[in-house]
Amino acid sequence: MSEKELGKKLDRCLADGVVKLGTGLGLGIVFSVLFFKRRTWPITLFSGAGLGMAYANCQHDLRSHYLLHTSEQQEQ
Amino acid sequence: MAPRIWPLVKLVSKVTIAGGAVYVAYDSGLLGSSEQGSMALEKAKAVVPPALEEWMKYFGLEAQLPTMPKIEFSPVNSWNAGVRWTISSLSEAPTRATEYTNQGLQYVKDLTK
C-alpha cells in the first residue's frame, strides 16, 4: 500500500469515526428520551456502538489491500 | 376506552419515532461503510453553512451576529511542519551537542588560562 493510499484510508477512517459517533450519539439521545427516562447509559451505549462500527470498518478497509479475492485466485 | 388506548398510542408513536430515526440514519448511509460515512460528512459540510445562513436570515439574526472570519489554518500542514521540524532537530542534535560541548570546554579552558 502506498503512503498516499494509506493517508487517504486513514482520512476516511477518521471521517467515518466522526459520523458514526455523531449518529450513535443522536440515536442514543432519541432512545434515551423516548424509552429510558432520559438516563445516560443508552447515549453511552449507542455512541460506543457507533465508534465500534467505525473501528471495524477501518480495520476492514486497511486489511482489504492484502486480501486475495476468489477471482484473482482462479486467474492464478 | 380512551384511558386504555392512550398508553398503547403513546408506545406506538414512540416506536414509530425511534424506528424512523434509525431508518433515516440507515438510509442516508450513516451506518454503512467508510466510504459512505466520509461522503455523508462531506455532504453535511457542504449543506450546513448555507442552511445556517438561511436560518439566521429567517430569524433576522444576520445583522446582529458578526460574520465568522475565514481563518486560513490547515491542521494537516501544521502537523506535517511540526513532524519535519522534530525529525530535523533530532538528526542535528548529536552534531549540535558536540559543538556546544566543544565550545563549553574551550570557554572553561580560556577561563583557567
Side-chain angles (χ1 to χ4, degrees):
Chain A
M1 204 191 313
S2 70
E3 212 177 276
K4 212 171 175 180
E5 204 181 317
L6 178 65
K8 277 186 190 167
K9 286 193 180 198
L10 288 175
D11 285 345
R12 258 203 314 264
C13 283
L14 210 63
D16 192 41
V18 168
V19 164
K20 292 217 166 34
L21 180 67
T23 308
L25 196 73
L27 286 177
I29 290 171
V30 167
F31 274 78
S32 169
V33 164
L34 289 176
F35 299 114
F36 299 107
K37 296 173 190 170
R38 296 181 193 180
R39 299 234 168 93
T40 323
W41 67 263
I43 301 172
T44 321
L45 177 70
F46 279 75
S47 306
L51 270 180
M53 284 168 73
Y55 182 86
N57 278 351
C58 190
Q59 196 175 45
H60 180 262
D61 207 11
L62 289 170
R63 282 182 182 171
S64 63
H65 182 81
Y66 303 103
L67 289 171
L68 203 60
H69 297 285
T70 328
S71 53
E72 289 166 8
Q73 275 181 332
Q74 283 173 357
E75 279 170 22
Q76 288 178 6
Chain B
M1 183 79 170
R4 276 190 286 174
I5 288 176
W6 177 239
L8 183 67
V9 167
K10 263 176 63 176
L11 180 66
V12 166
S13 55
K14 282 182 183 180
V15 168
T16 310
I17 294 169
V22 173
Y23 177 74
V24 163
Y26 170 74
D27 196 47
S28 46
L30 297 174
L31 300 175
S33 63
S34 299
E35 288 90 3
Q36 287 176 329
S38 55
M39 268 166 51
L41 188 64
E42 295 301 318
K43 272 189 221 168
K45 272 195 219 172
V47 161
V48 165
L52 265 176
E53 274 184 47
E54 283 286 328
W55 279 101
M56 275 165 56
K57 271 188 208 170
Y58 182 75
F59 286 112
L61 290 171
E62 201 183 35
Q64 293 176 25
L65 291 171
T67 50
M68 286 277 289
K70 283 193 180 171
I71 304 164
E72 289 202 13
F73 174 70
S74 167
V76 172
N77 287 346
S78 306
W79 176 263
N80 290 345
V83 169
R84 271 186 235 117
W85 180 85
T86 309
I87 299 298
S88 70
S89 304
L90 284 172
S91 70
E92 286 166 20
T95 320
R96 290 241 179 115
T98 317
E99 273 178 32
Y100 293 148
T101 314
N102 289 338
Q103 283 177 14
L105 284 172
Q106 192 61 45
Y107 178 73
V108 170
K109 276 184 195 170
D110 291 342
L111 280 177
T112 54
K113 276 182 189 172

